[in-house]
Amino acid sequence: MLFNRDMRTTLPALHFANPDHSPVMDKMHHQRHRQKQHYDQHVKVLHPLAINDMVRLRHPGGGWSDMVMVLRQVTPRSYVVKSDDGILFRRNRRDLLKVPPHQPVFPTLDLQDAIMRHPGTPAANGH
């Protein structure tokens, strides 16, 4: 049995010269194919990121971080990103959320314009 050796025993045993494994292999292949079809029903395609893309990092507890920049691609699904603090992170693609290019990275709000647009606020009335 082990290393194709015969067992030294007095128990009777069947010895097959060349067993046919093809039915078992066909059944295993069919089962793998069915599992792949069920898995692929809910798979989301993640497009590759480019260098200098702005992305958000997924926090371990949930939620997303501030913007970070993609420095390089290490493997097909792994990227090195740099935060504003200069800290480098290596993250899997599923933990990186690409920010659309038209969305401002740091939206600015002019407080005076906001107050003037809403004249009912106490600051707009001079109180």
Side-chain angles (χ1 to χ4, degrees), residues 62-119:
W64 297 92
S65 72
D66 290 335
M67 303 294 169
V68 295
M69 186 173 55
V70 176
L71 291 182
R72 69 178 192 271
Q73 184 175 5
V74 181
T75 63
R77 294 186 302 183
S78 180
Y79 292 87
V80 172
V81 294
K82 183 179 181 181
S83 69
D84 290 335
D85 304 335
I87 301 171
L88 298 178
F89 298 98
R90 180 175 174 171
R91 292 290 184 265
N92 191 294
R93 174 63 179 94
R94 69 176 173 227
D95 295 326
L96 299 173
L97 178 66
K98 184 172 180 179
V99 177
H102 63 276
Q103 179 182 354
V105 175
F106 299 105
T108 58
L109 175 64
D110 189 7
L111 188 57
Q112 286 295 75
D113 287 343
I115 291 172
M116 292 305 180
R117 282 189 225 147
H118 302 286

Side-chain angles (χ1 to χ4, degrees), residues 20-78:
D20 184 23
H21 296 294
S22 62
V24 175
M25 297 301 285
D26 290 341
K27 186 176 179 180
M28 286 176 55
H29 178 71
H30 178 69
Q31 185 177 8
R32 280 190 197 135
H33 182 68
R34 277 189 20 223
Q35 287 174 346
K36 179 178 174 13
Q37 283 180 332
H38 287 293
Y39 178 82
D40 288 346
Q41 287 178 354
H42 305 286
V43 169
K44 184 170 98 174
V45 176
L46 294 174
H47 300 288
L49 299 171
I51 294 174
N52 295 330
D53 275 351
M54 296 305 287
V55 295
R56 292 183 184 269
L57 288 176
R58 183 192 313 256
H59 288 302
W64 297 92
S65 72
D66 290 335
M67 303 294 169
V68 295
M69 186 173 55
V70 176
L71 291 182
R72 69 178 192 271
Q73 184 175 5
V74 181
T75 63
R77 294 186 302 183
S78 180

